[in-house]
């Protein structure tokens, strides 16, 4: 990001720059941003606001459950090692905001994303928490591995066929908010019968693994060439490192639907670098910041009218474009939108809208029907088992689903 582009900076951002320079650094805890993206984010953040080469962006990456657990502990102790938290955990953000754990934001950028985020059913609680980005779990497989040349999958039934026995990975839902919320959304919507699915998956002799990065390495090495839930961004990152993987690693989609997992962000009250943290939130909501994370992580954004730089990967939630089927190679294609969403209203209503058909479009008539087929479940604690999910947590919430087709 060149200094000449700084005329896009809002008055709210200008008020934060001097304080951010003085603080000298910012630490963001999150489950997503890779090392490569972190380095690019630091460079772009420095240049965009003129923070200087000495300013440091610290990227602390943990699992979703561990991210929330650490911040929850720091809030209780009143001692902070991180300044801001970015994670898909609406229940946590709502409860923490009610307890006064976050600083108020005065955002000049949020207005550009608020409308689409609301229509997409995402949880926000401005001025305390906003949602700059989202991701979704998709099937990923390696056609270069033995027995995988003709394999393809577009349904959950296809994820448990006999030909993938000894080749599968089962995502560890006991350690992740987002895996668990994906199961709940799909299951309660009637899209996938997980009571019958899990025994079928077990018969494929899967390895149970938590993080998307080690799962991706298993796929690439042929140790486990099929992962039913990974991220398009992880594929893209590995193709960037090893271009010969292009055309070998496939990204698919499920006809039953996928769940769009919005990641909320907030600045902690008591953070050592509050100005820098607030400025980082603004940067991630700006086009300049989104360009960095969209290119690096192949994420979805909510910014109105967002267009990625030429030859960049873009997954942007807009009103008119369609959700893609499996691509012919390993690079996510643009545009990507109208995916099932997972969010919560200000009253803790999860809008996990499950659109069963990839060709649905983001129109107001579909959005307005979201109140149908509602079920109540319990919010989970940061560290949970599959069974404890249904009984523990900060507060009750509603899970909403909608199908298109």
């Amino acid at each position: 990001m060149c200094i000449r582009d700084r005329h896009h900076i809002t008055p709210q951002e200008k008020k934060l720059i001097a304080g951010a320079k003085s603080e000298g650094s910012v630490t963001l805890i999150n489950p997503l941003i890779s090392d490569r993206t972190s380095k690019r984010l630091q460079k772009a953040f420095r240049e965009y606001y003129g923070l200087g080469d000495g300013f440091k962006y610290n990227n602390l990456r943990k699992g979703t459950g561990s991210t929330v657990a650490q911040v929850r502990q720091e809030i209780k102790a009143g001692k902070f090692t991180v300044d801001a938290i970015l994670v898909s955990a609406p229940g946590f953000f709502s409860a923490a905001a009610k307890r006064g754990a976050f600083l108020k934001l005065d955002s000049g950028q949020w207005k550009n994303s608020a409308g689409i985020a609301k229509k997409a059913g995402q949880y926000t609680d401005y001025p305390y928490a906003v949602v700059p980005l989202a991701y979704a779990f998709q099937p990923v497989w390696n056609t270069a591995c033995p027995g995988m040349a003709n394999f393809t999958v577009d349904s959950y039934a296809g994820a448990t066929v006999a030909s993938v026995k000894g080749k599968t990975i089962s995502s560890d839902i006991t350690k992740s908010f987002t895996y668990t919320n994906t199961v709940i959304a799909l299951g309660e919507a009637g899209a996938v019968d997980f009571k019958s699915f899990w025994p079928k998956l077990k018969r494929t002799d899967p390895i149970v693994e938590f993080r998307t990065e080690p799962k991706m390495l298993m796929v690439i090495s042929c140790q486990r060439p099929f992962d039913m839930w990974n991220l398009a961004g992880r594929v893209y990152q590995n193709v960037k490192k090893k271009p010969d993987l292009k055309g070998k690693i496939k990204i698919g989609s499920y006809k039953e639907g996928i769940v769009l997992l919005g990641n909320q962000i907030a600045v902690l009250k008591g953070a050592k670098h509050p100005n820098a943290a607030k400025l980082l939130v603004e940067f991630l909501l700006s086009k300049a910041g989104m360009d960095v994370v969209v290119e690096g992580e192949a994420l979805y954004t909510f910014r109105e009218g967002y267009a990625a730089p030429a030859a960049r990967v873009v997954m942007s939630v807009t009103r008119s474009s369609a959700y893609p089927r499996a691509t012919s190679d390993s690079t996510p294609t643009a545009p990507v939108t109208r995916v099932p969403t997972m969010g919560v209203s200000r009253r803790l209503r999860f809008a996990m809208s499950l659109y069963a058909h990839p060709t649905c479009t983001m129109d107001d008539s579909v959005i307005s029907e979201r109140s149908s087929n509602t079920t109540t479940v319990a919010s989970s604690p940061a560290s949970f088992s599959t069974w404890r999910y249904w009984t523990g947590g900060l507060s009750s919430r509603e899970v909403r689903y909608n199908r298109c087709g």
Side-chain angles (χ1 to χ4, degrees), residues 378-400:
S379 180
S380 72
S383 298
F384 50 79
S385 70
T386 306
W387 314 116
R388 284 172 53 208
Y389 181 91
W390 301 97
T391 58
L394 296 169
S395 54
S396 64
R397 65 194 182 190
E398 289 181 342
V399 183
R400 291 184 176 184

Side-chain angles (χ1 to χ4, degrees), residues 159-283:
T160 59
V161 295
S163 63
V164 295
K165 185 173 183 179
K167 301 173 183 176
T168 56
I169 302 171
S170 179
S171 299
D172 192 347
I173 65 174
T174 70
K175 297 178 181 177
S176 168
F177 281 114
T178 46
Y179 289 147
T180 304
N181 285 337
T182 297
V183 171
I184 291 173
L186 290 166
E188 293 293 337
V192 180
D193 179 4
F194 281 102
K195 288 184 179 180
S196 63
F197 176 79
W198 295 128
K200 293 176 182 176
L201 182 64
K202 184 178 180 180
R203 288 196 287 271
T204 68
D205 296 332
I207 286 178
V208 178
E209 181 57 61
F210 171 34
R211 299 305 303 275
T212 53
E213 294 99 325
K215 290 199 298 174
M216 195 69 245
L217 293 177
M218 290 181 186
V219 171
I220 292 171
S221 68
C222 294
Q223 179 185 358
R224 292 282 162 159
F226 173 53
D227 183 11
M228 72 176 201
W229 284 343
N230 211 299
L231 303 176
R234 298 293 180 241
V235 176
Y236 172 68
Q237 290 158 4
N238 281 279
V239 171
K240 290 283 288 185
K241 295 176 183 176
K242 297 181 179 180
D244 63 310
L245 291 174
K246 184 175 181 179
K248 298 176 182 178
I249 310 297
K250 305 294 183 178
I251 307 169
S253 61
Y254 293 115
K255 64 183 181 182
E256 293 90 349
I258 61 172
V259 181
L260 183 65
L261 301 154
N263 280 237
Q264 293 77 32
I265 190 169
V267 177
L268 301 174
K269 185 180 290 185
K272 296 177 181 178
H273 312 102
N275 292 290
K278 290 179 180 179
L279 194 60
L280 179 63
V281 173
E282 292 297 278
F283 187 61

Side-chain angles (χ1 to χ4, degrees), residues 237-361:
Q237 290 158 4
N238 281 279
V239 171
K240 290 283 288 185
K241 295 176 183 176
K242 297 181 179 180
D244 63 310
L245 291 174
K246 184 175 181 179
K248 298 176 182 178
I249 310 297
K250 305 294 183 178
I251 307 169
S253 61
Y254 293 115
K255 64 183 181 182
E256 293 90 349
I258 61 172
V259 181
L260 183 65
L261 301 154
N263 280 237
Q264 293 77 32
I265 190 169
V267 177
L268 301 174
K269 185 180 290 185
K272 296 177 181 178
H273 312 102
N275 292 290
K278 290 179 180 179
L279 194 60
L280 179 63
V281 173
E282 292 297 278
F283 187 61
L284 292 175
L285 288 169
S286 73
K287 184 183 185 303
M290 287 182 179
D291 284 349
V292 176
V293 295
V294 167
E295 187 281 332
E297 306 296 331
L299 298 171
Y300 299 90
T301 75
F302 302 100
R303 187 178 174 89
E304 187 79 40
Y306 176 78
R312 300 292 190 186
V313 175
V314 56
M315 292 184 171
S316 177
V317 177
T318 61
R319 297 192 181 192
S320 60
S321 50
Y323 178 73
R325 298 182 183 275
T327 58
S328 59
D329 61 34
S330 56
T331 305
T333 55
V336 180
T337 95
R338 194 39 169 161
V339 296
T341 63
M342 192 286 286
V344 191
S345 74
R346 291 176 185 269
R347 298 179 65 183
L348 283 181
R349 290 176 177 171
F350 269 56
M352 299 181 182
S353 303
L354 230 39
Y355 300 100
H357 299 284
T359 56
C360 295
T361 55

